[in-house]
Amino acid sequence: AELHVPLQVVDVSGSQVSANFSLQVYAPRSAESFPVIWFVTGGGGIAPVSAYSKLLNQVVAKGYIIVGLAHGFFPPFDYLKYGKLFHDIMEWGKDGLLSYMVSHKLLAVPDVLNRSAVMGQSAGNHVVGQGLTEGCSTAKAFVMIDAVDGFDPYRIVKSQDLIKPGQKVNFNIPAILLDNGLDPKSVNRFSPPCAPAEISNDHFYNAWIGPIWNINATKYGHVDCTDTPTSMLCPSDPQTDKDLYRAMLADAITIFLGALFDGRPNSLAKLEDPSQWQVDVVLKHDL
């Protein structure tokens, strides 16, 4: 995989610098055309894209371009503003991504118009989902890793929730939800969970309109998809094989997107078969 390391600010909205995402592109070292995944990191974009490089490189190796988006600013921030900016960046990408990649001497050609997906980890899914409320732009599929809604884990502020209780999302897009058994757990009795049950994972699954598949890796935790997971903020079992988990995530992501983008709908059955996976999983789907 070819990694464009310097973080570059892409200002497509004319908004203040504090609302701008930095953009980092991971792409195959090939002049062929590849699907594009627009990815927003954990904390609604607080986590650096590089924290996910092991997972992202595995996905890229299977023939994808990933545009990682992060801003690094700590809350409080405005999910409505960041969602609008994410949508604007996808719109910019219709013409702008190819020229951006060429200018940085990346060989791969992004098939933005025909094969674009969106992806988030943790509250990055809140930003992405908020962006889709503005319109799906080029997005044809949504990959949700440990999806978290809401503004704060204590539920003090509810006005920025993407999904209101009992309501559905206002967009229709196929999705895969990749969550895990430790997501709703907290590291101690004084800390809230990184993914409080009432605003995470099934909160998204139950509000979905399009077809959705769910793979829950029962023994893993909220930050185990990152390069160096710790139990400082979110529970993580030091005995579990994180490389195996990241490989499972990369397989699930690319099986799902490959079925949609490459005309292989029969492979979606793998998402419904627990014997396909090297880690313990609980599966469900709603078509």
Side-chain angles (χ1 to χ4, degrees):
E2 184 174 50
L3 169 58
H4 173 53
V5 177
L7 290 175
Q8 304 253 323
V9 173
V10 179
D11 185 357
V12 296
S13 68
S15 57
Q16 295 177 349
V17 174
S18 63
N20 285 349
F21 283 105
S22 296
L23 180 147
Q24 193 169 13
V25 179
Y26 290 64
R29 197 182 297 274
S30 164
E32 296 175 42
S33 173
F34 297 97
V36 177
I37 302 173
W38 302 88
F39 169 55
V40 179
T41 64
I46 291 170
V49 177
S50 59
Y52 302 86
S53 64
K54 290 179 181 178
L55 171 61
L56 301 184
N57 277 317
Q58 289 190 55
V59 175
V60 169
K62 295 173 185 287
Y64 290 82
I65 294 166
I66 297 178
V67 182
L69 300 163
H71 53 72
F73 296 101
F74 279 84
F77 55 82
D78 188 337
Y79 277 100
L80 302 177
K81 181 190 294 184
Y82 279 106
K84 175 73 164 61
L85 183 61
F86 177 75
H87 176 267
D88 290 347
I89 289 173
M90 281 199 294
E91 288 291 296
W92 163 86
K94 291 176 178 178
D95 298 313
L97 182 59
L98 175 59
S99 57
Y100 177 88
M101 290 177 64
V102 168
S103 71
H104 289 91
K105 299 182 170 52
L106 296 178
L107 297 172
V109 178
D111 188 7
V112 176
L113 295 180
N114 299 309
R115 295 184 293 167
S116 274
V118 292
M119 181 167 79
Q121 196 268 327
S122 190
N125 292 284
H126 187 174
V127 172
V128 174
Q130 188 63 49
L132 296 184
T133 66
E134 302 280 339
C136 285
S137 183
T138 56
K140 295 179 172 58
F142 194 163
V143 175
M144 294 184 279
I145 305 172
D146 313 308
V148 178
D149 193 6
F151 181 79
D152 65 279
Y154 297 99
R155 305 295 293 134
I156 296 166
V157 176
K158 298 181 180 179
S159 59
Q160 294 197 33
D161 290 2
L162 171 67
I163 300 166
K164 305 296 189 287
Q167 294 184 8
K168 300 284 189 180
V169 293
N170 73 344
F171 47 84
N172 188 335
I173 192 170
I176 186 167
L177 170 64
L178 303 166
D179 61 344
N180 55 60
L182 298 182
D183 263 342
K185 310 292 185 185
S186 52
V187 287
N188 59 54
R189 62 194 181 94
F190 302 107
S191 303
C194 288
E198 68 271 21
I199 53 167
S200 70
N201 296 323
D202 278 354
H203 170 76
F204 285 78
Y205 186 92
N206 294 330
W208 220 248
I209 292 178
I212 184 168
W213 288 262
N214 174 215
I215 303 178
N216 181 291
T218 57
K219 295 180 179 177
Y220 288 88
H222 195 69
V223 295
D224 287 348
C225 62
T226 62
D227 290 2
T228 54
T230 73
S231 298
M232 190 180 304
L233 294 175
C234 315
S236 177
D237 181 352
Q239 303 302 315
T240 54
D241 185 336
K242 309 305 186 294
D243 288 332
L244 202 60
Y245 177 56
R246 286 186 286 263
M248 168 257 162
L249 292 175
D251 284 344
I253 291 165
T254 55
I255 287 169
F256 171 65
L257 295 181
L260 299 177
F261 291 156
D262 302 331
R264 298 197 301 266
N266 291 343
S267 63
L268 290 169
K270 296 177 181 177
L271 305 177
E272 303 165 15
D273 179 2
S275 69
Q276 289 284 333
W277 310 100
Q278 290 183 287
V279 302
D280 293 337
V281 295
V282 174
L283 309 178
K284 62 179 184 281
H285 59 279
D286 185 356
L287 307 184

